[in-house]
Amino acid sequence: MPNRLVFQLKRIPDSDLRGGAKAGYSFSSYVIDPPVYLNYLLSRFIARGGHIVRGTVQHVSQIVEGGVGIWYNGKPSAAPDALVISNGLGARTLGGVDDAQVYPNRGQNVIIHAPWVTDAMSLSSPDPTIDTYIFPRRNGDVST
């Protein structure tokens, strides 16, 4: 059965590669436009009774034991029914998570307006620190 997530996977001929790249591929795939999709998910969450509370914590236990009331009414409250921790690189230093294995794994992410780019592309280099990719977005922006 064909892979339904990557369509039209094609190796880019060596003669078309630039800048010392050792291999390149072109493919079509599903791409999520993060600002649009995250707003959609947030609106669904709020429509179902969820709410957002912003605050700063040093340890996960501050939320588990004291709830989130401290940030919006200044008093401890019941522990939340669920706690989603999505702190990215902050997982390295957040108490209760303390994941010393977390490290940045990619360089710069640049978004440019290039509506003529319609295919996703990936280029590999002999130096993996300069591998690159291009993902076009619906609005004509390209994430590289």
Side-chain angles (χ1 to χ4, degrees):
M1 184 165 161
N3 183 341
R4 300 275 182 209
L5 296 178
V6 177
F7 303 98
Q8 304 168 355
L9 178 65
K10 295 179 249 178
R11 185 175 173 106
I12 297 172
D14 291 346
S15 60
D16 290 345
L17 298 176
R18 304 283 187 266
K22 64 180 179 181
Y25 296 89
S26 173
F27 55 91
S28 298
S29 183
Y30 297 108
V31 177
I32 294 173
D33 190 351
V36 173
Y37 189 61
L38 291 174
N39 282 333
Y40 163 75
L41 291 176
L42 178 60
S43 67
R44 288 189 61 192
F45 173 71
I46 291 171
R48 287 168 175 76
H51 60 275
I52 303 295
V53 176
R54 295 178 191 260
T56 302
V57 297
Q58 300 301 312
H59 197 283
V60 174
S61 65
Q62 290 175 263
I63 298 169
V64 174
E65 294 170 8
V68 295
I70 198 75
W71 288 287
Y72 62 86
N73 67 13
K75 299 177 184 172
S77 60
D81 293 329
L83 177 60
V84 177
I85 301 172
S86 57
N87 58 334
L89 292 176
R92 186 174 187 82
T93 57
L94 177 61
V97 177
D98 302 306
D99 188 351
Q101 300 295 318
V102 173
Y103 63 93
N105 67 351
R106 68 177 193 194
Q108 299 296 315
N109 191 13
V110 178
I111 297 176
I112 61 172
H113 189 68
W116 58 90
V117 177
T118 59
D119 292 328
M121 292 178 246
S122 174
L123 294 172
S124 298
S125 160
D127 178 355
T129 64
I130 56 174
D131 287 352
T132 190
Y133 59 86
I134 297 172
F135 291 110
R137 294 183 177 179
R138 178 175 45 179
N139 67 356
D141 287 348
V142 177
S143 174
T144 65

